[in-house]
Amino acid sequence: MDTNKVHLLSILPHTVAAVWVAPSLNTLRAEPVACPKPVFAVRSGQYVPLLKKLFKAKMIFFSQSVRAVNGLFGVRKPDGSLRLIVDARRANAHFIPPPPVHLTSPETLASVLQGCTTTLFTAKSDLDNYYHRIAIPEWLSQYFALPPVSAQDLGEDVDFPGAATTLLFPCLSTLPMGWAYSVWLAQVAHEWLVYSSGALLPHLRLSAGTTWLPGAVYHIIYIDDVVLFGVDTGLVEAAQAAYVSVVTEAGFCLKSAKLVRATSTPVKCLGFMVDGLHGKLSIHEDTRRSIVLHTYRILRSGRASGRQLQVLLGKWLWVLLPTRLLLSVLSASFRFVGCAGEASFSLWPSVTHELRVLLATLPLLTTDLRLSVCPVGTATDASLHGFGVVVTTLPSTRSVCENLASPLLGEYRQCEGVVPAMATLDNTVQLQDQSNVISGCRWRLGFKGRWHTVEHINVLELRVLELLAKWCMSRPGFIEKKVIFFSDSQVVVAGLRKGRSSAYRLLSIYRRLAAYLLGTGTRLIPFWVRSAANPADAPSRGLPMVDQPCVCEVDLTQVPKGGAVVRRVGEVQWC
């Protein structure tokens, strides 16, 4: 590996670099917290040769006094080599918790790219040994020491004054994998380097709330990876060339084997394959094979600890993010993880069933990136007495989508205006009121009805959504479309965005919704409005919509029980 290093402080925003120049209470605890003994998984005969190799690559230096001694182990890469990981729990015990890192998820990737209706070109770059090329301040290295060795063991390769029996601690001089702050600092440094130079624009970063514009080149910065998306191959190639120029000038190197020029053929991104020619987002074959083998291994053994099952569920959750409603399959598995902990138990039958259902749905986990927005918008509402669904013709699907574009989980407040990774998430704003978007629309009644059972209002609100899904399934114009609907129930909107609920009565409805939508290729886009602005409020209470034509009116009290929608509600006969 090239021994040239890039100093961390030179590629951080000025306000962040000032914090890490010297030790301070802004980063360090007054007293370290207790932590377990670190893992050291290096054979005695391999440790000294490894240290000599690291010293030659300028990744460590030796010191007689340190702040914390950590462990070391390796994780095998797909190509068979080992990734060196520091068990930095003792070092982390000295630092306050790091801020959250905002990275692009597969869900965001799928939702934003679905705005592209033409051939999509993708380019990809990967920095070589990114962590090990970033030099950290010397005071930080004192917290990342490894078990000591004698100067005699190191021989002539290390020239250190003192007796041959002197114990020397190897101290990491580059950004260690395993430190709690490493991911955050690496992401912030990468974004600041790129955005401050103007190679890429921060507002074109794929994030929650991004609206696709055909003439722009969008991008993902995921620690050491950069992926570019656009419909103009020339613009994508120019953006990639500008990025490569900036990072190489800064002192970083690119992995030539992973450099992908602008192409419409499938490109791996975040464990998925982006097929720009056919407009598909599918799970990468290596990821699929790993998940299947891991799941069958646990099913065959019939036993697992909570920790082992948690690792498997982590893999499943990542690939399920583009189709979030399938998260509703998992319920007992999460309870098993919480109950079992580190102990090993026989798998519950319900856990086995959920894992087999996930395996059965795996071939269907392909997202169509060219889904168009249905020109018909809907609004739903339920009261304790009845329900109503109203429809409208959206004036312009593009303008509506642009008006509705907003972060799903809150508002991001940018720091220094250019570094999204440093944005703080305001969780006090969970759902934004979109009443102004629909205020000028002319609504007509789709269908309405009365309940003949008493249930919680949250359950009734979700049952209306299930009826809406069946109504859309019966109309070809809604199949394989993104259907925008409005609801005044925060439980329904937030639950649909989350994909599941801890309440079983709601979870069972989410599971049926997942089956309906996955089978038809339809995607529901939920937005919240105030009850006073919900056009479906009057029909749900039995009040007429003045001068609005009725498409279909249904009285569920006249329908026999045992229907396909909900056993206690009955089947709806549509006009």
Side-chain angles (χ1 to χ4, degrees), residues 323-335 349-355 357-358 361 462-463 465-466 469 473 495-496 499-519 564-566:
T323 50
R324 260 192 179 271
L325 269 178
L326 280 179
L327 294 178
S328 60
V329 171
L330 298 170
S331 178
S333 300
F334 290 135
R335 292 200 304 272
S350 53
V351 173
T352 301
H353 175 70
E354 290 177 359
L355 294 179
V357 170
L358 290 179
T361 59
L462 196 55
R463 291 200 189 282
L465 184 58
E466 184 180 5
M473 289 171 58
L496 196 61
R500 62 181 305 276
S501 172
S502 57
Y504 184 78
R505 297 180 70 181
L506 299 179
L507 185 66
S508 59
I509 304 178
Y510 282 124
R511 288 174 172 174
R512 290 195 293 272
L513 274 174
Y516 299 151
L517 300 179
L518 191 64
V565 179
V566 182

Side-chain angles (χ1 to χ4, degrees), residues 100-109 131 183-184 186-188 190-191 205-208 220-225 270 318 321 412 420-423:
V101 184
H102 304 299
L103 300 174
T104 302
S105 70
E107 177 188 20
T108 302
L109 178 67
Y131 277 56
V183 173
W184 186 80
Q187 182 71 13
V188 169
H190 199 172
E191 291 181 354
R205 173 181 180 261
L206 286 190
S207 59
I220 292 174
I221 299 180
Y222 202 94
I223 308 177
D224 58 348
D225 289 342
L270 305 182
W318 185 255
L321 284 177
Y412 290 95
M422 294 172 59

Side-chain angles (χ1 to χ4, degrees), residues 120-325:
L120 179 70
F121 293 93
T122 307
K124 182 179 178 181
S125 306
D126 188 1
L127 296 180
D128 180 54
N129 291 306
Y130 179 50
Y131 277 56
H132 302 313
R133 292 185 187 275
I134 300 178
I136 60 177
E138 187 173 346
W139 73 268
L140 265 179
S141 298
Q142 299 296 321
Y143 292 91
F144 301 108
L146 300 176
V149 293
S150 66
Q152 183 179 7
D153 292 335
L154 296 174
E156 297 179 355
D157 294 321
V158 179
D159 184 15
F160 193 90
T165 57
T166 302
L167 287 180
L168 303 178
F169 292 90
C171 298
L172 293 172
S173 58
T174 59
L175 195 63
M177 291 187 179
W179 183 32
Y181 276 88
S182 288
V183 173
W184 186 80
L185 287 172
Q187 182 71 13
V188 169
H190 199 172
E191 291 181 354
W192 174 257
L193 177 65
V194 174
Y195 294 149
S196 62
S197 66
L200 299 176
L201 301 177
H203 67 276
L204 295 180
R205 173 181 180 261
L206 286 190
S207 59
T210 301
T211 302
W212 181 267
L213 299 176
V217 176
Y218 292 87
H219 64 273
I220 292 174
I221 299 180
Y222 202 94
I223 308 177
D224 58 348
D225 289 342
V226 169
V227 188
L228 304 171
F229 305 95
V231 297
D232 188 324
T233 180
L235 293 177
V236 175
E237 288 178 351
Q240 186 180 41
Y243 166 76
V244 171
S245 175
V246 167
V247 295
T248 52
E249 185 178 347
F252 293 103
C253 297
L254 296 171
K255 291 181 181 178
S256 56
K258 293 188 176 182
L259 183 65
V260 180
R261 302 296 182 183
T263 179
S264 60
T265 58
V267 176
K268 185 178 181 181
C269 178
L270 305 182
F272 290 79
M273 296 300 291
V274 180
D275 186 347
L277 182 61
H278 301 95
K280 302 293 182 182
L281 181 71
S282 57
I283 304 173
H284 190 269
E285 187 59 35
D286 292 342
T287 306
R288 185 193 304 269
R289 186 184 302 110
S290 173
I291 291 177
V292 170
L293 292 177
H294 194 172
T295 305
Y296 274 122
R297 186 163 60 248
I298 286 185
L299 288 175
R300 281 196 301 266
S301 67
R303 296 181 62 86
S305 66
R307 174 59 180 167
Q308 291 173 331
L309 186 60
Q310 185 181 33
V311 172
L312 175 62
L313 293 182
K315 295 181 178 180
W316 274 109
L317 292 177
W318 185 255
V319 300
L320 292 176
L321 284 177
T323 50
R324 260 192 179 271
L325 269 178

Side-chain angles (χ1 to χ4, degrees), residues 397-412:
T397 56
R398 174 167 292 278
S399 63
V400 169
C401 290
E402 290 176 356
N403 290 333
L404 292 174
S406 60
L408 298 185
L409 297 178
E411 295 181 336
Y412 290 95

Side-chain angles (χ1 to χ4, degrees), residues 463-477:
R463 291 200 189 282
V464 181
L465 184 58
E466 184 180 5
L467 295 176
L468 173 63
K470 287 183 66 69
W471 186 71
C472 292
M473 289 171 58
S474 66
R475 285 158 172 76

Side-chain angles (χ1 to χ4, degrees), residues 377-414:
T378 61
T380 65
D381 193 28
S383 66
L384 295 177
H385 304 288
F387 62 89
V389 174
V390 297
V391 297
T392 187
T393 300
L394 299 175
S396 170
T397 56
R398 174 167 292 278
S399 63
V400 169
C401 290
E402 290 176 356
N403 290 333
L404 292 174
S406 60
L408 298 185
L409 297 178
E411 295 181 336
Y412 290 95
R413 296 174 179 173
Q414 302 298 332

